[in-house]
Amino acid sequence: MSKQTSADSRMNQSIFQLVLVSLLVIGSARWILDELKSNKSRIFNLYGFRQKPAVFVTKEDQLDESCNVFEGQWVWDNVSYPLYTEKSCPYLVKQTTCQRNGRPDSSYQNWRWQPSSCDLPRFDALKLLDVLRDKRLMFIGDSVQRSTFESMICMVQSVIPDNKKSFHRVPPTKIFRAEEYNVSIEYYWAPFIVESISDHATNHTVHKRLVNLDAIEKHSKSWEGVDVLVFESYVWWMHQPKINATWGDTSKVQEYNVTTAYRIALETWAKWLETKINPVKQRVFFTSMSPTHLWSWEWNPGSDGTCYNELYPIDKPSYWGTGSNQDIMKIVGDVLSRVGDKATLLNITQLSEYRKDGHTTVYGERRGKLLTKEQRADPKNYGDCIHWCLPGVPDTWNEILYAYLLRSHRN
């Protein structure tokens, strides 16, 4: 009998210990879960992690489907603009920092694009980061597209603590990371979108160009799986009326009209798009041509200058300069209409046509170096009326991209 009593006592003691341990485990687990849910979590503080609360996108943030954001006018706004400064953004390259490079005026930074039938949502970096949470946004194209990438990271980086952001160069890619949101904003150098002899990010020829019109695989393997892709390709095609290219056999180089070559290349891109992109999981945008302002006689008849020393936008409705090729514009429209909902056109050409004042002119780089005093004194030969100062016009392109991303976002 005593043996039975002793055995029962030990069993009861074991059950009590098991229950006690279970209660401690459950209690600890619940405390940990409560801690993880809290934005003031001691666990996150201890290990350097913090869960960012969601920033809700309201109906007021979202564009009406009927609004055409590409029709409107530039209005003076030195209260809200610029959205950042050269000093506040360490990621700008010398090619775009016009103020630092000696440009005496800054009014090009204070113009806001105002659509005719609606308002663009005010840019909110936290909302964009929340929309892009756990995603990758990649800009693909030439040096104009690189400026758009730099503009975007300048627009968001100020709300991210220094120890929670990073920037890496892995040619042909540049990668900006916002760690707390698990967001990557990236740039990929591909000036023709398809493959070419100019695909090295830094060591590429400018005057000698050879494009493989039906080859895209070397590039596209870096694009697959990216959540938001923004493509652009124009200026590199327009060096001459004809361009050397291959189709199929890479040993057989032929001379193509630029517009013919451009259409073939864009159709190669469209075929890749149709087979590799899932519109349910990925968003694809194609940015129309960035206009040039090489000859002042186009907006000021009788003059013989360039965009140098221009201080105001062009005030002529529907102004269209010779730097923007209408045939190329039609090709872009034709190809994108065929891919349907797999790609969205960001038609920034017309609104940018007015901005003859926004280019780097003599306050940028030429072949990787700032212009000399003698070169600056000769803007007709050395002025750059292709690239844009930052802050500046590319910020508006990103505001429009932001508006499109908000419109498709669900909290």
Side-chain angles (χ1 to χ4, degrees), residues 87-142:
K87 290 182 179 180
S88 72
C89 185
Y91 305 105
L92 294 174
V93 297
K94 289 181 181 179
Q95 188 178 42
T96 62
T97 52
C98 299
Q99 293 285 293
R100 191 178 303 158
N101 298 340
R103 181 165 175 168
D105 66 295
S106 62
S107 59
Y108 62 90
Q109 301 178 356
N110 302 121
W111 293 96
R112 172 172 57 83
W113 178 249
Q114 177 59 58
S116 301
S117 57
C118 63
D119 294 324
L120 283 173
R122 175 68 178 168
F123 184 83
D124 186 324
L126 290 175
K127 287 185 179 179
L128 178 63
L129 289 169
D130 202 56
V131 168
L132 294 175
R133 187 188 294 270
D134 300 321
K135 292 182 175 65
R136 295 170 64 194
L137 164 63
M138 181 183 286
F139 294 88
I140 299 108
D142 54 27

Side-chain angles (χ1 to χ4, degrees), residues 15 19 29 45 66 82 86 121 155 213 223 323 345 355 382 384-385:
I15 292 172
V19 171
N45 289 336
S66 63
E86 288 182 11
M155 289 164 71
L213 298 176
W223 309 337
L345 176 64
R355 293 302 307 274
Y382 291 98
D384 182 350
C385 295

Side-chain angles (χ1 to χ4, degrees), residues 95 109 148 250 270 304 319 402:
Q95 188 178 42
Q109 301 178 356
T148 315
T250 55
D304 188 33
Y319 169 83
Y402 168 72

Side-chain angles (χ1 to χ4, degrees), residues 265-311:
L266 212 58
E267 287 174 347
T268 298
W269 168 80
K271 289 176 184 176
W272 168 81
L273 201 71
E274 290 168 344
T275 57
K276 297 294 185 179
I277 292 296
N278 181 353
V280 176
K281 296 181 179 181
Q282 296 167 282
R283 293 293 308 275
V284 177
F285 297 90
F286 191 94
T287 305
S288 64
M289 66 190 77
S290 170
T292 61
H293 295 89
L294 304 176
W295 304 286
S296 64
W297 55 261
E298 293 188 335
W299 59 84
N300 183 19
S303 62
D304 188 33
T306 65
C307 66
Y308 173 71
N309 213 24
E310 293 288 348
L311 303 178

